[in-house]
Amino acid sequence: MVTPLKKHAIVKKRTATFKRHQSDRYKTVKESWRKPKGIDNRVRRRFKGQIAMPKIGYGNSKLTRHLMPNGFKKFVVSNVAELNLLLMHNRTFAAEIAHNVSSRNRIAIVERAQQLNVKVTNANARVRTEA
């Protein structure tokens, strides 16, 4: 079983999502964030007690950015040739087989990953055997 090179504690600065201004008030205004542009807008002018706007300071640590809880970074793989790229990086990246890969190719990718000692996050997907 391959283990990550270094296991860092993942600390998120902010886990709550940024909601769009007045999305709680109107059904037609969806929750996905849009920057307020109005000249009198309280949120854009950053009045006290208003919702927070996304800023660069909310970004997470560069060490733990894009890390999965198991300590690896995700690398989406569609074929065996792409899996071979992880030969030297098997302690940093874990392969994830793309959703549109057939079950026959999935089996070949998983076998090659075991030879290269590369972790596959979804190795059991769509590889049922007939009983």
Side-chain angles (χ1 to χ4, degrees):
M1 188 67 200
V2 63
T3 57
L5 199 61
K6 290 179 183 166
K7 185 85 175 191
H8 293 286
I10 299 172
V11 178
K12 305 275 187 194
K13 280 191 193 170
R14 181 185 165 102
T15 53
T17 56
F18 290 98
K19 291 185 180 172
R20 187 175 177 180
H21 180 49
Q22 290 191 335
S23 63
D24 56 336
R25 207 157 186 228
Y26 302 106
K27 196 184 289 189
T28 53
V29 179
K30 301 291 183 246
E31 279 192 355
S32 60
W33 174 254
R34 299 288 186 274
K35 185 170 170 58
K37 304 270 175 54
I39 56 169
D40 294 330
N41 192 284
R42 305 182 297 191
V43 175
R44 182 191 62 78
R45 290 161 70 187
R46 300 198 195 123
F47 281 14
K48 186 166 54 173
Q50 301 306 310
I51 59 170
M53 289 200 292
K55 297 181 202 146
I56 198 68
Y58 287 115
N60 293 322
S61 170
K62 206 179 255 190
L63 280 173
T64 60
R65 195 174 297 150
H66 305 300
L67 273 191
M68 296 189 290
N70 61 8
F72 289 100
K73 291 182 180 180
K74 192 186 294 185
F75 185 81
V76 180
V77 167
S78 298
N79 53 46
V80 177
E82 290 178 1
L83 186 71
N84 292 334
L85 295 172
L86 297 181
L87 176 65
M88 301 298 289
H89 306 286
N90 64 340
R91 304 277 309 275
T92 309
F93 290 93
E96 180 168 294
I97 304 172
H99 79 282
N100 55 351
V101 178
S102 68
S103 56
R104 183 193 301 162
N105 289 341
R106 281 173 188 270
I107 293 167
I109 290 172
V110 170
E111 285 175 5
R112 182 66 178 147
Q114 286 175 341
Q115 294 168 5
L116 297 176
N117 198 22
V118 172
K119 182 174 176 62
V120 180
T121 57
N122 57 349
N124 296 327
R126 253 197 282 175
V127 284
R128 287 199 204 100
T129 55
E130 292 180 20

